């Protein structure tokens, strides 16, 4: 989704039980979470994760970051 003329936001969510509140995405052994973090870093995006019932991953990036 385009936020404005420069920023895009990719949102992926599920309706599961959510993630453990003590989970540290930087040191996790989960391959899926490591992939999300690594790919977000490669496109110079900003990742945010919310977990209530369900989990929402949001990645915000700019046009310039997409072109690089």
């Amino acid at each position: 989704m385009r936020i404005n003329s420069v920023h895009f936001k990719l949102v992926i969510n599920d309706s599961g039980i959510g993630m453990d509140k003590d989970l540290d995405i930087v040191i996790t052994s989960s391959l899926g979470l490591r992939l999300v973090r690594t790919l977000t870093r490669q496109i110079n995006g900003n990742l945010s994760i919310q977990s209530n019932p369900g989990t929402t991953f949001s990645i915000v990036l700019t046009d310039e970051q997409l072109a690089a």
Side-chain angles (χ1 to χ4, degrees):
M1 130 180 37
R2 185 179 281 273
I3 297 174
N4 55 41
S5 63
V6 179
H7 294 92
F8 292 89
K9 185 175 190 179
L10 172 65
V11 178
I12 300 171
N13 57 35
D14 68 30
S15 58
I17 61 170
M19 295 182 359
D20 185 358
K21 292 179 183 182
D22 296 327
L23 179 72
D24 185 346
I25 192 168
V26 174
I27 60 171
T28 184
S29 63
S30 165
L31 177 60
L33 292 176
R34 288 180 18 213
L35 285 171
V36 168
R37 198 173 117 248
T38 301
L39 293 172
T40 300
R41 189 176 35 217
Q42 287 179 351
I43 61 173
N44 296 315
N46 293 313
L47 173 65
S48 66
I49 302 172
Q50 296 177 332
S51 185
N52 334 19
T55 303
T56 301
F57 293 86
S58 300
I59 301 171
V60 176
L61 53 142
T62 65
D63 274 341
E64 292 84 21
Q65 292 166 322
L66 289 173

